[in-house]
């Protein structure tokens, strides 16, 4: 399929498709080395520590040398978001549900391990080979379920969004910046107390009643994983219901065809 516009040069490099030239001196760097250096800085200092200058210093070249490989800070973030991803989990005979549960948890854990990923625009669709391999494995896990390609993509996107949201919550409550914890929130229980104080029962009757009941004092799942599992099971139950519905529709269609014959 022909595209009207060429791929961005950084995407071409991520896929190893840039043209090879035999002229001039052999390059001292490669994209993998630059990406690894940038990730090391982000893990140690956060995204605020990542710049063309800091990465160049880490790999021992002038900042201008990086522009042969990375056109901008945005390009650098693109390759970092892809380069930090490990290989996706292997199916190993798991059912679609067990695999997607493992797949979603692994994404959430990756985001928690490299919290700077949460600051990169989540609306940018993946273009790199590593993140797209994760996407591929999720779709493959749904083979044989009766879902069409569009539904499989929606399932994978929804689970990715859940992993992102849960990681952001965990990073912000009980695991976020110290100044926020010290000022307002130190965990789920504190969050519930803050809301109980802020919410007007007349304007927020349901949420106010929930917070005033003390429910958040028992919400250890924010740290111990119970809330994550509960939400994930809700999503997987919905996917399972969709699969059953599609199977019923297929049976009904086959019955109608048999009657017509």
């Amino acid at each position: 399929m022909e595209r009207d516009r060429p791929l961005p040069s950084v995407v071409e490099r991520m896929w190893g498709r840039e043209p090879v030239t035999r002229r001039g001196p052999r390059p001292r760097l490669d994209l993998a080395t630059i990406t690894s250096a940038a990730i090391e800085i982000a893990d140690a200092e956060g995204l605020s520590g990542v710049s063309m200058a800091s990465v160049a210093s880490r790999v021992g070249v002038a900042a201008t040398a990086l522009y042969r490989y990375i056109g901008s800070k945005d390009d650098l973030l693109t390759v970092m978001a892809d380069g930090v991803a490990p290989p996706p989990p292997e199916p190993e005979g798991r059912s679609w549900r067990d695999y997607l549960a493992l797949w979603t948890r692994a994404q959430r854990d990756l985001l928690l391990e490299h919290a700077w990923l949460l600051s990169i625009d989540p609306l940018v669709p993946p273009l790199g080979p590593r993140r797209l391999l994760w996407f591929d494995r999720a779709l493959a896990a749904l083979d044989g379920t009766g879902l069409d390609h569009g539904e499989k993509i929606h399932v994978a996107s929804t689970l990715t969004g859940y992993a992102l949201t849960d990681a952001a919550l965990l990073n912000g409550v009980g695991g976020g910046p110290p100044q926020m914890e010290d000022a307002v929130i130190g965990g789920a229980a504190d969050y519930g107390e803050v809301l109980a104080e802020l919410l007007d029962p007349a304007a927020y009757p349901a949420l106010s009643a929930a917070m005033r009941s003390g429910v958040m004092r028992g919400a250890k799942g924010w740290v111990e994983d119970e809330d994550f599992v509960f939400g994930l099971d809700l999503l997987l139950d919905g996917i399972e219901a969709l699969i059953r519905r599609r199977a019923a529709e297929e049976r009904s269609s086959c019955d109608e065809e048999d009657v017509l014959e």
Side-chain angles (χ1 to χ4, degrees):
M1 183 171 57
E2 295 290 334
R3 295 181 72 255
D4 294 333
R5 293 184 298 172
L7 287 170
S9 59
V10 69
V11 175
E12 294 276 11
R13 289 191 177 96
M14 289 166 71
W15 287 90
R17 293 184 178 181
E18 59 181 329
V20 177
T21 177
R22 298 181 182 276
R23 297 181 179 179
R26 184 180 181 136
R28 292 179 54 193
L29 291 175
D30 56 41
L31 191 61
T33 299
I34 295 169
T35 303
S36 178
I39 290 171
E40 289 173 3
I41 295 171
D43 285 343
E45 305 175 30
L47 281 186
S48 61
V50 178
S51 66
M52 299 296 274
S54 66
V55 175
S57 176
R58 176 67 65 100
V59 297
V61 300
T64 53
L66 291 190
Y67 287 96
R68 290 187 57 187
Y69 308 87
I70 305 289
S72 66
K73 174 72 174 289
D74 286 342
D75 285 351
L76 183 59
L77 296 178
T78 297
V79 299
M80 289 170 64
D82 190 70
V84 76
E90 291 300 326
E92 296 179 348
R94 296 181 177 90
S95 66
W96 69 264
R97 180 169 181 137
D98 288 344
Y99 180 76
L100 290 183
L102 175 65
W103 183 88
T104 306
R105 179 184 294 279
Q107 284 205 77
R108 191 278 305 262
D109 291 348
L110 174 67
L111 291 163
L112 291 175
E113 183 180 354
H114 306 279
W116 49 267
L117 282 166
L118 296 168
S119 300
I120 296 178
D121 189 351
L123 300 180
V124 176
L127 286 173
R130 294 189 179 211
R131 290 178 65 196
L132 286 176
L133 190 61
W134 280 71
F135 208 26
D136 175 86
R137 295 301 185 266
L139 302 187
L142 292 165
D143 283 347
T145 60
L147 301 184
D148 62 32
H149 290 308
E151 289 167 335
K152 292 176 185 177
I153 289 173
H154 284 311
V155 166
S157 298
T158 298
L159 293 175
T160 296
Y162 178 64
L164 177 63
T165 300
D166 190 79
L169 180 62
L170 282 170
N171 191 58
V173 180
Q179 63 269 24
M180 176 60 75
E181 291 182 17
D182 293 342
V184 181
I185 300 169
D190 286 348
Y191 180 61
E193 291 174 6
V194 168
L195 292 190
E197 180 180 342
L198 290 174
L199 295 172
D200 179 356
Y204 305 88
L207 185 57
S208 176
M211 294 302 105
R212 291 172 188 273
S213 75
V215 65
M216 300 306 287
R217 286 196 292 272
K220 297 180 181 179
W222 285 14
V223 176
E224 297 179 5
D225 220 31
E226 295 167 8
D227 285 355
F228 175 76
V229 172
F230 182 82
L232 181 57
D233 280 343
L234 284 180
L235 290 172
L236 295 174
D237 286 348
I239 296 166
E240 193 163 349
L242 176 61
I243 290 171
R244 287 198 300 267
R245 187 161 71 246
R246 290 291 176 265
E249 291 170 354
E250 180 66 21
R251 287 194 300 269
S252 177
S253 176
C254 290
D255 290 343
E256 288 178 2
E257 289 178 2
D258 289 342
V259 169
L260 291 174
E261 291 177 358

